[in-house]
Amino acid sequence: GETISFNISGVGPMTISLISVLPAINKPVAINGKSQPSWDFASENMVGIDLGGVTDGNGFQIQSSNVDIKGIKITNAGFGIIINGEAYDNCLIEDNIINQNITTAININNGDFITIQGNHIGVAGDGLSNQATSGAAIAAAGSSNLVIGGDRSAGDGNVLAGNAFSSYLINVTSS
């Protein structure tokens, strides 16, 4: 797949304020916000996507397998990241900040082999300042082989706080 890298001039953080929704991601791609010069998670010196100017807008709508979203701040969206479909597998959601007026930060419906690590949801990059979502941090249904979090000392753990509904909402069914 392709890689989307960033090199926005000026002093960060760099916020892209949208007035319409992003197109769905329908082919393998790596969106690498960590490529932005001077990228820093703790100070939130990173590329941000703000959907405050969009009515009923979602952040990244993944409709493909093999999609990576790394190092982006997503605010003011319905769903920060949504994976919705049986064939949309092998995705990586890593080192993102998803907060402020988000209904559900990460929503997975029928996705398999999804890895969600190193994200701050409902909290700022410093891990302390509350910037709550209005719903769940991570919701999953009809999915299998999910990796959510990991070794905190390696930076793989997610920090979830201040979410109005719950941190995890996972619906498990068997056949």
Side-chain angles (χ1 to χ4, degrees), residues 9-80:
S9 63
V11 178
M14 303 298 176
T15 301
I16 300 168
S17 298
L18 300 177
I19 57 172
S20 62
V21 296
L22 292 168
I25 299 169
N26 57 18
K27 63 181 181 177
V29 66
I31 300 173
N32 186 5
K34 295 168 78 171
S35 63
Q36 174 65 26
S38 302
W39 181 91
D40 182 68
F41 193 90
S43 68
E44 298 186 21
N45 188 20
M46 58 198 327
V47 175
I49 305 294
D50 184 342
L51 284 108
V54 179
T55 302
D56 298 324
N58 294 319
F60 294 104
Q61 299 176 69
I62 298 173
Q63 296 178 354
S64 174
S65 294
N66 303 308
V67 173
D68 296 351
I69 299 176
K70 300 182 199 175
I72 303 285
K73 181 174 181 179
I74 305 167
T75 57
N76 297 312
F79 294 105

Side-chain angles (χ1 to χ4, degrees), residues 27-171:
K27 63 181 181 177
V29 66
I31 300 173
N32 186 5
K34 295 168 78 171
S35 63
Q36 174 65 26
S38 302
W39 181 91
D40 182 68
F41 193 90
S43 68
E44 298 186 21
N45 188 20
M46 58 198 327
V47 175
I49 305 294
D50 184 342
L51 284 108
V54 179
T55 302
D56 298 324
N58 294 319
F60 294 104
Q61 299 176 69
I62 298 173
Q63 296 178 354
S64 174
S65 294
N66 303 308
V67 173
D68 296 351
I69 299 176
K70 300 182 199 175
I72 303 285
K73 181 174 181 179
I74 305 167
T75 57
N76 297 312
F79 294 105
I81 297 172
I82 184 168
I83 301 170
N84 191 6
E86 191 63 41
Y88 310 141
D89 303 330
N90 301 309
C91 296
L92 173 64
I93 314 285
E94 180 182 74
D95 295 333
N96 300 289
I97 298 172
I98 308 172
N99 58 27
Q100 299 175 355
N101 301 317
I102 300 280
T103 301
T104 297
I106 300 171
N107 190 51
I108 304 165
N109 291 308
N110 300 317
D112 299 323
F113 299 99
I114 310 295
T115 300
I116 302 169
Q117 294 182 320
N119 300 285
H120 282 196
I121 299 174
V123 66
D126 64 9
L128 302 171
S129 302
N130 183 7
Q131 295 180 342
T133 67
S134 61
I138 300 170
S143 302
S144 64
N145 298 298
L146 303 178
V147 175
I148 301 174
D151 183 350
R152 188 81 182 116
S153 64
D156 294 338
N158 296 299
V159 177
L160 314 173
N163 301 294
F165 187 66
S166 64
S167 291
Y168 296 109
L169 178 60
I170 300 176
N171 181 12

